């Protein structure tokens, strides 16, 4: 199974899609992740700096990047251990492409 982890800045809730006026980009990301879970054999994890700080502290590469560059390096998208994006959210098509590539790589191994 492919693993996709999204490391995000501190937000009021685990997805940032809450309150009376949620950020449109976060709404789109949440919808894309839900759709990808339905279409791919992927385990999606969202690590929010406020709610999942242990995941940041226990993942040395991510911890080092945040220490070095500050929270502006977030979000960081990781697919099967490889960082595929930082400082921006990927859209559905970009994420689907990364997951397809990871699946192909796994099948060839």
């Amino acid at each position: 199974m492919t693993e996709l982890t999204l490391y995000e800045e501190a937000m009021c809730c685990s997805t940032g899609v809450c309150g009376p006026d949620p950020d449109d980009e976060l709404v789109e990301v949440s919808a894309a992740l839900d759709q990808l879970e339905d279409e791919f054999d992927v385990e999606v994890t969202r690590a929010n700096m406020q709610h999942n700080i242990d995941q940041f502290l226990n993942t040395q590469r991510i911890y080092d990047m945040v220490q070095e560059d500050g929270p502006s390096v977030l979000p960081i998208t990781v697919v099967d251990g490889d960082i595929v994006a930082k400082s921006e959210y990927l859209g559905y098509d970009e994420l689907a492409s990364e997951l397809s590539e990871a699946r192909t790589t796994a099948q060839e191994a």
Side-chain angles (χ1 to χ4, degrees):
M1 174 180 282
T2 302
E3 293 181 12
L4 184 153
T5 306
L6 186 58
Y7 294 89
E8 300 174 285
E9 65 185 313
M11 293 185 269
C12 59
C13 64
S14 62
T15 63
V17 182
C18 53
D21 190 26
D23 183 312
D24 290 340
E25 184 176 35
L26 293 175
V27 171
E28 289 176 21
V29 167
S30 291
L33 293 175
D34 288 344
Q35 186 175 352
L36 291 165
E37 281 184 305
D38 291 340
E39 295 175 4
F40 289 84
D41 187 22
V42 61
E43 179 182 335
V44 174
T45 304
R46 292 181 80 166
N48 175 313
M49 193 174 255
Q50 180 171 331
H51 297 281
N52 312 100
I53 191 65
D54 287 347
Q55 216 166 339
F56 283 82
L57 298 173
N58 295 328
T59 310
Q60 193 65 49
R61 284 187 317 161
I62 303 302
Y63 176 82
D64 290 346
M65 289 175 74
V66 173
Q67 286 293 95
E68 185 175 314
D69 300 322
S72 65
V73 74
L74 300 172
I76 300 171
T77 305
V78 178
V79 175
D80 284 346
D82 294 325
I83 295 172
V84 298
K86 58 184 181 178
S87 302
E88 67 177 342
Y89 285 103
L90 298 181
Y92 171 83
D93 291 337
E94 295 163 310
L95 288 167
S97 176
E98 293 292 343
L99 293 174
S100 293
E101 185 176 318
R103 184 184 341 182
T104 300
T105 302
Q107 289 173 348
E108 291 173 354

